[in-house]
Amino acid sequence: KEKVLIITSGALGENLVEKIHSMAHVAAIYVFCQNVDRHRGWAKRWSKIQHVYDDIQPICRSLISVIKEINES
């Protein structure tokens, strides 16, 4: 019943997401990179990817929101 939230780099994420996306315990995936435009394209194919970010603050805010949702369900 536990959920996993993943933060990955763009380069690693491109290969990692394909392997983990279907796992039920993966609740959300965040891509943190410096080249947002490069990674946004492939990231759109995966529904568990919340967004591609180049700043950590929006990731932190989203994590708080997702954790709250998980805890309430």
Side-chain angles (χ1 to χ4, degrees):
K1 188 173 176 166
E2 293 183 10
K3 296 294 182 182
V4 177
L5 306 171
I6 297 171
I7 301 172
T8 182
S9 68
L12 177 62
E14 194 166 2
N15 295 313
L16 177 69
V17 172
E18 183 175 353
K19 294 173 176 64
I20 65 169
H21 192 270
S22 64
M23 295 178 176
H25 58 277
V26 175
I29 303 168
Y30 299 85
V31 179
F32 182 56
C33 64
Q34 295 303 312
N35 192 342
V36 172
D37 292 334
R38 176 173 178 236
H39 298 291
R40 228 182 237 145
W42 65 262
K44 288 179 184 178
R45 297 187 312 229
W46 305 101
S47 62
K48 291 183 181 178
I49 293 182
Q50 300 300 301
H51 198 61
V52 179
Y53 299 93
D54 61 358
D55 181 13
I56 197 69
Q57 292 303 317
I59 294 174
C60 294
R61 287 189 295 271
S62 183
L63 285 169
I64 291 167
S65 175
V66 169
I67 290 168
K68 184 177 178 180
E69 288 175 26
I70 290 170
N71 287 336
E72 290 175 354
S73 62

